[in-house]
Amino acid sequence: MIYDLSRAERQHRAISNEKPAPNLVPKRCTCGKAAPAKVLVQHGKCHACQLADRVATLEPGDADLLLFMLGATPHWPRVRWGYRNHYLVNRRDRAAMERLVAAGFARAGAVLLQLQYFHATEVGCRLAGLDAKRTRVALSLGARP
Ligand SMILES: [Zn+2]
């Protein structure tokens, strides 16, 4: 009689088997946001908290360089943000650019006459307020000085 399961019981078991894997079940980060358990186990916090930690490593003015790098400034309509993605660093902003790189918001590019180009990363574009479309544009430009 073990194999003589009722139709309802079979359906119930089928649905139980459809539950997501345990590491995809949402849990709560300490900030209160739901996050996949896998993310919490790997990083100890949700993506928003991880981003906040990275932003906290910047100093005042660093993010302005990122916005400038991407043309994400009030001089340009938001739909054009990301039309450029390069910044030729000078001695004065070298430390700021290195903090942006360390936080993952920018990466070093080519060297020109002992000056170093930098480009915003995908997360840097998002931090600057670019939408997905403008981020794609900016990243496609990043390789070129
Ligand atoms: Zn969080």
Side-chain angles (χ1 to χ4, degrees):
M1 284 299 123
I2 292 169
Y3 300 106
D4 187 22
L5 297 170
S6 72
R7 186 184 158 86
E9 175 67 11
R10 279 197 308 272
Q11 276 183 347
H12 175 76
R13 290 193 180 188
I15 289 165
S16 300
N17 290 337
E18 282 172 14
K19 280 183 188 153
N23 64 359
L24 294 176
V25 175
K27 299 251 164 65
R28 298 241 163 241
C29 174
T30 51
C31 72
K33 284 201 193 86
K38 188 180 171 192
V39 170
L40 293 180
V41 166
Q42 259 177 18
H43 304 285
K45 47 187 72 173
C46 71
H47 287 302
C49 286
Q50 291 173 55
L51 182 64
D53 285 352
R54 288 157 75 172
V55 171
T57 65
L58 302 180
E59 289 188 15
D62 291 359
D64 293 341
L65 287 179
L66 183 67
L67 299 180
F68 181 78
M69 177 187 281
L70 288 163
T73 64
H75 304 288
W76 299 98
R78 200 174 175 128
V79 294
R80 289 213 55 205
W81 287 7
Y83 76 92
R84 70 174 177 222
N85 181 8
H86 63 263
Y87 186 77
L88 191 56
V89 77
N90 58 35
R91 192 187 301 249
R92 187 166 46 88
D93 358 274
R94 179 95 211 179
M97 207 52 63
E98 277 166 7
R99 285 190 294 274
L100 286 166
V101 170
F105 299 131
R107 62 179 180 78
V111 175
L112 179 74
L113 303 175
Q114 299 183 323
L115 294 169
Q116 173 87 58
Y117 273 106
F118 286 86
H119 311 283
T121 61
E122 184 176 0
V123 66
C125 290
R126 273 190 274 131
L127 184 69
L130 273 61
D131 62 19
K133 186 178 163 203
R134 298 309 301 173
T135 294
R136 276 197 302 278
V137 170
L139 292 178
S140 72
L141 298 171
R144 273 182 262 150

